[in-house]
Amino acid sequence: MPILSLSQAAQAAQAAQAAQAAQAAQAAQGTLSASSHGLLVARDGIGGVWQQPEPRPFPSVAAERLGDWQASSRLFILIGEILSTMTVQPSMDGEAVELLMHSGGSIARIIRPSADDFAQQARLVHDYADLRSDRLAEITDQVAGSTGYLTSLLPFDPARMPRTTDLLALAEQIAGFAAQACKHLLVCPRPHVLSAQIQPMIATPGHGALPSGHATEAFAVAETLRRLTLGVVAAEAGPLLIQMAARIAVNRTVAGVHYPADSFAGAVLGFAVAELIATRARIASNPRAVSFDGTGIANTDFFTSQVWSGSDWSFDGPGLSLQGNAPPVDVSPTVEWTWQEAAAEWGV
């Protein structure tokens, strides 16, 4: 059975847009303030006798209509387009999960580390605590999300780039859904469960460890933004986006809530989500299949160079591999239109 549902998508999208809606309402109130009572009295004063309107033809149903809707509605529709093609499925033995396409084939497979692997990974988490003072501001900022750290690398203005904002919100939300489904199925313990010496510096989320949701979201957003701005912004921006995503992932280990293994799994899943969105937008012909096998990872640490060559994915870390191309995925006119409009905002 599919783990991700459209009802979950709607709830998450609504939460993601709550702050934005509140800010918009506050701004509107300053220039467009009108009370219900005032409007009632004004209508009585000018309404007059009913005049029958002329019938108006229905607008054509097309992807371009998306731009007419409010932000939360756009995001609901885009999330539904992606979730309609994917399922997170456990293996028969419960040791692995796969991100499957309804058209057939897997684009991401994650095998969880063994209990002994996690015990050895916990030592790395303990040692990373030495960086907590240096990274306090970053870690506390990123508890609520980290997209702002990625967009800070580029001349991004959400007020002038609504379609880019939609696309990044889509990548973040789909990554979050996929990560939560994997966590639920893999049931990996958090570091502080193994040792009281970890003593996390922030509240530990109430769900499993692997994959890291922050890592999944950061790599999905970074890769989406890199593809969107390729050849438009400075050449060093792409690698810096991936480096920032990796730093965000490592910050969760510094904070004491994730193992390095969680970052490996999150990077794999995040890249897969970005690839799926790009494929549905006709930017990629068909998604590359990726995998992470955590068995035997032991005390191996996570570094950017293990997942990134400088210009593209480069899975040189333990248990990481590219599995060739998955079967083609249908293009979504709605996602394609959003990507094209977002690209136009960057002058592409």
Side-chain angles (χ1 to χ4, degrees), residues 15-326:
Q17 295 297 324
Q20 181 181 345
Q23 292 174 353
Q26 289 176 352
Q29 188 173 9
T31 57
L32 304 174
S33 58
S35 68
S36 296
H37 179 70
L39 290 172
L40 183 152
V41 174
R43 180 191 178 278
D44 286 345
I46 69 169
V49 178
W50 172 253
Q51 299 179 31
Q52 184 65 33
E54 292 293 327
R56 178 175 296 183
F58 293 113
S60 60
V61 178
E64 290 79 0
R65 297 292 301 170
L66 192 67
D68 295 338
W69 312 140
Q70 63 186 18
S72 59
S73 296
R74 294 196 304 268
L75 190 53
F76 291 154
I77 294 165
L78 289 168
I79 288 173
E81 285 291 299
I82 301 299
L83 292 189
S84 68
T85 63
M86 59 177 276
T87 302
V88 176
Q89 189 75 31
S91 62
M92 292 295 293
D93 60 9
E95 296 293 327
V97 292
E98 288 188 283
L99 184 60
L100 299 173
M101 297 298 94
H102 293 172
S103 59
S106 167
I107 64 169
R109 178 176 173 82
I110 298 173
I111 303 173
R112 68 185 177 191
S114 68
D116 182 63
D117 288 322
F118 278 123
Q120 294 187 60
Q121 287 271 299
R123 173 60 185 270
L124 293 173
V125 181
H126 171 271
D127 292 348
Y128 262 109
D130 291 342
L131 296 177
R132 288 182 180 180
S133 295
D134 292 339
R135 300 202 182 186
L136 174 62
E138 293 175 56
I139 289 168
T140 53
D141 280 350
Q142 292 163 7
V143 167
S146 51
T147 296
Y149 274 77
L150 295 163
T151 56
S152 71
L153 296 168
L154 301 171
F156 170 70
D157 181 354
R160 295 187 301 104
M161 299 178 168
R163 299 294 88 81
T164 298
T165 301
D166 289 345
L167 199 59
L168 299 185
L170 174 64
E172 183 178 44
Q173 291 294 319
I174 297 299
F177 298 150
Q180 287 296 330
C182 292
K183 289 171 182 285
H184 171 66
L185 294 169
L186 293 174
V187 202
C188 299
R190 293 279 182 169
H192 76 297
V193 174
L194 300 188
S195 173
Q197 289 183 285
I198 299 297
Q199 193 176 346
M201 65 178 290
I202 57 175
T204 302
H207 46 250
L210 187 140
S212 164
H214 274 67
T216 305
E217 292 168 9
F219 276 97
V221 172
E223 177 65 0
T224 298
L225 196 50
R226 184 190 73 84
R227 285 175 179 261
L228 181 65
T229 60
L230 192 64
V232 179
V233 299
E236 69 272 13
L240 284 175
L241 284 166
I242 304 302
Q243 289 175 38
M244 182 67 81
R247 184 177 179 92
I248 290 165
V250 171
N251 281 345
R252 301 294 284 178
T253 301
V254 176
V257 297
H258 276 293
Y259 311 92
D262 302 341
S263 296
F264 281 113
V268 164
L269 192 59
F271 279 135
V273 166
E275 186 92 333
L276 173 59
I277 292 172
T279 302
R280 299 226 65 200
R282 210 191 298 268
I283 301 304
S285 56
N286 53 335
R288 288 173 286 184
V290 295
S291 68
F292 167 65
D293 184 349
T295 53
I297 194 171
N299 61 356
T300 302
D301 204 352
F302 172 80
F303 300 101
T304 311
S305 60
Q306 294 164 314
V307 296
W308 185 253
S309 67
S311 59
D312 200 0
W313 308 355
S314 177
F315 288 177
D316 295 328
L320 298 172
S321 61
L322 287 168
Q323 302 293 319
N325 290 332

